[in-house]
Amino acid sequence: EALKKIEGIGLSNLICHYKFLASGIRKAIEEMGLTIFTQENARSDVLTVVNSPKGIHPSAIVQEIRKNYGVLIAGGQGEIADKVFRIATIGAIGERDVISVIGLLELALVKLGFLREPGKGTTAILKHFCERQNEKALYFS
């Protein structure tokens, strides 16, 4: 079933879609004052690894979003488990999902004391998507 969906969408279209989502997340993350863990030449378009703000354990961010909003982002693994959290952009993920995650991340970071007010990340991701408003977005069912 998954392969039929990929065939219908087109593999190159799907790769471009994930790249576009990931680049928007990166812009939003940077606008919030956060940093990407992965070096620029080694970044993935299906998983963005974000450094947790100083003084905030990444599990607090993950739990805040999961507990209050039911949205899954993941903590780090292994040696970096206490340093990063991860946002996936693979599978049936689209613009709506990414906008939601960025907005909820901002709410969590306000509550946890890192951001004074939300909006910079959400504005960045919306502007990013407006750049492509004449193109057809991919929707998954």
Side-chain angles (χ1 to χ4, degrees), residues 2-20:
L3 291 176
K4 287 181 184 176
K5 285 185 180 182
I6 291 171
E7 186 178 322
I9 293 168
L11 184 57
S12 63
N13 289 334
L14 200 55
I15 290 168
C16 287
H17 172 73
Y18 293 144
K19 183 179 189 80
F20 189 73

Side-chain angles (χ1 to χ4, degrees), residues 16 65 79 82-83 94 102 119 121 128 138-139:
C16 287
I65 293 172
E79 294 175 9
D82 61 345
K83 296 178 178 141
I102 294 300
H128 180 73
L138 294 179
Y139 296 100

Side-chain angles (χ1 to χ4, degrees), residues 42-67:
R43 292 181 180 168
S44 167
D45 291 329
V46 297
L47 186 69
T48 301
V49 183
V50 183
N51 290 308
S52 190
K54 188 174 184 172
I56 301 175
H57 198 280
S59 65
I61 297 167
V62 171
Q63 289 305 314
E64 180 68 25
I65 293 172
R66 185 177 297 170
K67 179 180 73 171

Side-chain angles (χ1 to χ4, degrees), residues 5-136:
K5 285 185 180 182
I6 291 171
E7 186 178 322
I9 293 168
L11 184 57
S12 63
N13 289 334
L14 200 55
I15 290 168
C16 287
H17 172 73
Y18 293 144
K19 183 179 189 80
F20 189 73
L21 294 179
S23 64
I25 287 175
R26 291 182 198 120
K27 287 179 184 178
I29 292 297
E30 291 169 1
E31 284 297 318
M32 285 187 267
L34 298 171
T35 58
I36 306 296
F37 172 79
T38 318
Q39 293 176 349
E40 197 167 334
N41 64 348
R43 292 181 180 168
S44 167
D45 291 329
V46 297
L47 186 69
T48 301
V49 183
V50 183
N51 290 308
S52 190
K54 188 174 184 172
I56 301 175
H57 198 280
S59 65
I61 297 167
V62 171
Q63 289 305 314
E64 180 68 25
I65 293 172
R66 185 177 297 170
K67 179 180 73 171
N68 291 325
Y69 306 105
V71 173
L72 286 177
I73 63 171
Q77 295 179 322
E79 294 175 9
I80 59 171
D82 61 345
K83 296 178 178 141
V84 302
F85 59 93
R86 301 171 294 153
I87 302 171
T89 47
I90 193 167
I93 292 180
E95 286 87 343
R96 176 186 61 196
D97 305 297
V98 172
I99 292 166
S100 296
V101 165
I102 294 300
L104 296 173
L105 177 58
E106 286 188 302
L107 289 175
L109 292 173
V110 167
K111 185 172 182 180
L112 295 168
F114 177 72
L115 292 178
R116 291 184 186 222
E117 58 184 57
K120 288 183 178 180
T122 305
T123 298
I125 197 75
L126 291 173
K127 284 182 178 179
H128 180 73
F129 290 148
C130 285
E131 293 170 6
R132 192 176 88 169
Q133 70 188 110
N134 291 331
E135 295 179 34
K136 184 181 175 208

